[in-house]
Amino acid sequence: MKPYKFILFFTLLGLLATVGCTDLEETVLDEQLGADLISNPENIEALINPPYGSLRRTIEWYDYWGLQEVTTDEVIVPTRGTDWYDNGAWMELHLHTWTADHIRMKNVWNALSQGMARCNLAIYYIGQFPQSAKTEQYITEARFLRAYYMYLVNDLFGQVPFREPDELDFKISPMVMDRKAAADFIIEEVKAVLPNLKTKAEVGSERVTVGAAQALLAKIYLNYEVYTGEAKWADAITYCDQLINSGVYTVTDDYWTMFQKDVAEHAEFILRVPMDDSVDMGSGSVWVNFTLHYSQVFGNITSTWNGPSTTKTFFETWDMVNDARFYDARIKGQTGFNQGFLHGQQYGLDGTALSQRNGSPLIFVPEINLASSPENAGIRVVKFAPNPATERQFSSPNDVPIMRISDIYLIRAEAKLRNNDPAGALADVNFIRSKRSAPGKTLPALTSVTLDDILKERGFELYWEGLRRQDLIRFGKFTEAYQEKPATHAQKTIFPLPTSAVDVNENLTQNPGYE
C-alpha cells in the first residue's frame, strides 16, 4: 500500500487559514480533536499529510492544469452544441480574454494559497513537539513544499503573499513579494533545506527528496530571466548536472511505462503525486473521461464527456511514424483505443466502428471551430492509461510525475544552447530522442539544434503534463497566434490576481492590464 493514500485532508491545520486570506468555506470540527492533533506528537503524520495533499490540486485538469495547458497550443476545449460552453470559461482561456473574475483564477489562487498555509501550519505545530530527527525531517519537507507552492504562484501571478509560520494573526494581511524577491527567496529556501533532505532510495519519489530540490532549482534558474530579466543558465546547468550525474534516475527505454495504471515508483520519477482509484482521493484528475467521445465507453467507464482536444497547430509538429510518444497500442485490447493521439475512425472494444450521436462515423479530425464544433472535432489525447475494472471511474489510478529526469535533460539542453554550448545541447536532445523510437522504427537524430527544435522536443516529451504555458512564455511563443487563437498582448504572460484576493489584501496590486 502506498503511503499518503489514506490521509486526513480536512484537519484543523488544512482549514485554519490561507496565506492569501481567501474566502474558503469554513468547516467546523470537534474542538477536542483539533487540540489533540496539535499537541500530541503521535499525530505528526496528520500534520505533514495536508501539505502533501495539496499537490493533488496541481493535477486537476479543470484548474491548475487548465491554466497551464488550455491557454496554449497543446489543449483546446471547443464548444460542441450546448456542451462545454460553461459560460465561455474555456473559450476565454484559449483566446487569452480572461479577466480577474475568471473562475480558474480564483480556484487556483485559493488552492495554492491553501497549500502554502498548510505548510506554514505544519512547520509551526511540528516545531512545538519535542524535537527529533523525524520532526526535523518533516519540517524540512514542509519548507520545501511551501517553496514549491510559492514557485507556482510566482510563475502564474507574479506576486506571492507570504507569512512566517509563527504569524498566526490572520486578521493582518500578509506581506507580498514581487516576482524577483519571491524567486530569490524560493532559491535560498530550497538551498537551505537541500542538505537535510533524504534520497529517493530512502523515502521514494512521493516524498520530497534531494533530487526534488535540485530539480526545482534547475527549473527556477531556467525561468529566472522571465522572472527577473537576468539570465542564470549556468546555475540551471549545475543542478541538472547534479541530478543526471547522481545515477539515481534513468531515462526509460519504454516511454509509456510511466503512464500506465497503478505505477508507483519509476526510474524517471523525481517527484510524483500518488493517486489510487481503489479509494476516493478527494481531488486529482481523471485523464480519459474528459477527452473521450460519449460513445467511447469501456469496462466500468460509463461516463465520457467529449471535451479537451489538441490543436491542429500542435498535432502537425509530430513525426507520426517514428516517434513512440505519438502512439502506443498496449491498452487497446482493454479499452478499444490507444494512448497518445486519437485521430481518424474510432473503434469499440469489439472492433466495431463507433458513431457520433447523430449516426455519423466517429472520425476525429483536427479541424475545430472554437465556438461551434461537431462532436468529432478535435484530435483527442490519452496520456495516462485508465483502469477498465475501476469501481470509481472518477478517481485516477495513475501516480502523476510532476518532476522527471527527461525534463531535466531537456532543461540542460536548453540552458546549454542559450549559454553558447550547441554541441552539449545537441547531445542531450539526441540522447532523449535515442530512447523514443517507435517499435520497428528509428526516430532520427538531429544534426544540429535550434531553440525551436528544443521547444518542439519539450512538446513531444512532456505534452499534457502541465508545463506548456511556462515553456511557450520562455520561448516567446505564448502570445503568438495558433489554431482558433489570434496573437495576444504580452501582458497575458502573467495572469490577473483574482478579485477576491485583491479585495481582502491591501498589499496586493493588480497586475498591469487587468486594473
Side-chain angles (χ1 to χ4, degrees):
M1 181 182 299
K2 302 173 187 175
Y4 298 109
K5 293 297 187 187
F6 304 98
I7 68 178
L8 182 60
F9 280 104
F10 300 108
T11 63
L12 175 65
L13 297 188
L15 297 168
L16 273 176
T18 64
V19 172
C21 296
T22 54
D23 57 352
L24 297 175
E25 294 183 2
E26 180 181 6
T27 300
V28 179
L29 300 178
D30 180 82
E31 293 181 2
Q32 184 59 45
L33 172 64
D36 181 66
L37 178 66
I38 62 178
S39 62
N40 185 349
E42 293 182 5
N43 292 327
I44 190 170
E45 278 77 17
L47 300 178
I48 193 61
N49 282 337
Y52 274 102
S54 284
L55 288 176
R56 293 193 184 129
R57 299 295 301 275
T58 70
I59 61 169
E60 289 177 340
W61 65 268
Y62 46 86
D63 279 332
Y64 177 79
W65 187 92
L67 289 188
Q68 293 289 64
E69 293 286 354
V70 181
T71 59
T72 77
D73 61 346
E74 281 191 355
V75 180
I76 183 171
V77 187
T79 300
R80 300 186 178 95
T82 59
D83 295 339
W84 289 97
Y85 177 66
D86 293 354
N87 295 314
W90 301 112
M91 294 175 61
E92 289 171 3
L93 290 184
H94 188 79
L95 295 170
H96 293 193
T97 57
W98 55 73
T99 69
D101 295 312
H102 195 288
I103 187 62
R104 303 278 87 80
M105 307 303 159
K106 177 181 177 181
N107 288 359
V108 174
W109 177 272
N110 286 357
L112 297 178
S113 295
Q114 186 183 65
M116 290 187 287
R118 286 174 165 182
C119 294
N120 261 355
L121 291 164
I123 293 166
Y124 178 79
Y125 285 109
I126 293 173
Q128 307 306 302
F129 295 155
Q131 294 301 285
S132 65
K134 188 174 186 178
T135 58
E136 292 174 5
Q137 181 64 32
Y138 282 173
I139 289 172
T140 298
E141 292 179 23
R143 287 176 64 187
F144 172 89
L145 290 169
R146 181 182 63 179
Y148 181 71
Y149 296 128
M150 292 176 67
Y151 157 71
L152 299 183
V153 171
N154 200 34
D155 185 71
L156 294 171
F157 300 103
Q159 299 179 50
V160 183
F162 180 78
R163 297 182 191 275
E164 293 292 351
D166 60 356
E167 293 178 14
L168 299 179
D169 186 352
F170 298 107
K171 295 188 297 295
I172 300 174
S173 296
M175 59 88 72
V176 174
M177 298 182 187
D178 65 23
R179 215 171 198 193
K180 184 181 188 307
D184 290 338
F185 175 87
I186 295 162
I187 287 169
E188 293 310 310
E189 183 74 347
V190 175
K191 286 181 177 180
V193 301
L194 191 155
N196 300 315
L197 291 170
K198 293 187 180 297
T199 65
K200 180 177 177 178
E202 293 175 298
V203 298
S205 62
E206 69 177 22
R207 291 268 299 278
V208 173
T209 61
V210 170
Q214 292 165 335
L216 182 54
L217 288 168
K219 286 174 176 287
I220 296 173
Y221 282 127
L222 184 70
N223 292 283
Y224 196 80
E225 186 176 41
V226 172
Y227 301 154
T228 71
E230 177 186 358
K232 298 231 175 184
W233 311 124
D235 295 286
I237 293 166
T238 294
Y239 287 99
C240 290
D241 285 345
Q242 290 180 13
L243 275 161
I244 291 167
N245 296 336
S246 70
V248 174
Y249 309 97
T250 304
V251 177
T252 180
D253 291 319
D254 184 349
Y255 180 76
W256 290 103
T257 57
M258 292 181 280
F259 307 110
Q260 300 310 301
K261 64 182 177 68
D262 299 325
V263 172
E265 280 306 349
H266 191 282
E268 286 229 10
F269 293 174
I270 299 171
L271 182 63
R272 62 188 164 92
V273 181
M275 296 297 295
D276 192 336
D277 72 353
S278 66
V279 294
D280 184 354
M281 300 302 290
S283 60
S285 268
V286 289
W287 297 111
V288 298
N289 308 68
F290 74 158
T291 191
L292 295 180
H293 183 267
Y294 312 110
S295 65
Q296 291 181 287
V297 295
F298 60 97
N300 289 338
I301 306 294
T302 60
S303 177
T304 49
W305 310 333
N306 201 38
S309 306
T310 196
T311 68
K312 182 178 181 181
T313 308
F314 183 68
F315 180 68
E316 291 180 346
T317 64
W318 280 81
D319 180 337
M320 302 178 189
V321 174
N322 298 309
D323 198 325
R325 297 167 293 193
F326 180 76
Y327 178 94
D328 187 82
R330 74 189 65 191
I331 67 171
K332 287 188 75 171
Q334 300 173 306
T335 65
F337 54 85
N338 58 280
Q339 283 176 270
F341 293 82
L342 280 60
H343 60 105
Q345 176 66 55
Q346 300 300 297
Y347 297 89
L349 188 56
D350 61 359
T352 302
L354 297 176
S355 300
Q356 303 176 57
R357 291 182 295 187
N358 65 6
S360 300
L362 181 59
I363 300 173
F364 289 145
V365 297
E367 290 73 30
I368 287 174
N369 182 306
L370 182 62
S372 179
S373 280
E375 290 182 7
N376 67 317
I379 304 300
R380 311 308 163 85
V381 176
V382 173
K383 195 75 182 269
F384 292 93
N387 175 16
T390 182
E391 295 181 359
R392 292 178 174 84
Q393 63 174 310
F394 307 126
S395 186
S396 168
N398 312 98
D399 284 18
V400 178
I402 55 177
M403 296 177 180
R404 59 186 183 88
I405 194 64
S406 293
D407 183 18
I408 300 302
Y409 274 92
L410 294 175
I411 289 173
R412 188 170 72 172
E414 181 183 340
K416 284 183 173 182
L417 186 58
R418 294 184 187 274
N419 206 40
N420 300 313
D421 181 7
L426 181 63
D428 279 340
V429 171
N430 278 337
F431 176 73
I432 297 298
R433 291 176 67 83
S434 73
K435 303 286 189 176
R436 302 304 187 227
S437 293
K441 306 293 182 180
T442 300
L443 185 63
L446 302 182
T447 57
S448 61
V449 66
T450 65
L451 285 174
D452 280 348
D453 292 327
I454 290 177
L455 178 60
K456 287 180 180 178
E457 198 63 36
R458 288 189 63 80
F460 303 149
E461 180 67 24
L462 301 163
Y463 68 97
W464 282 45
E465 293 184 44
L467 300 175
R468 187 64 168 180
R469 170 188 159 274
Q470 188 183 81
D471 287 350
L472 291 183
I473 290 171
R474 198 171 57 255
F475 284 85
K477 304 286 189 181
F478 183 67
T479 58
E480 291 185 356
Y482 41 83
Q483 186 183 27
E484 291 293 293
K485 174 195 171 289
T488 50
H489 195 277
Q491 70 190 33
K492 298 298 183 178
T493 58
I494 297 180
F495 289 120
L497 302 173
T499 300
S500 58
V502 175
D503 285 348
V504 298
N505 185 348
E506 67 276 9
N507 297 323
L508 289 169
T509 302
Q510 185 56 269
N511 288 321
Y514 300 111
E515 297 90 344

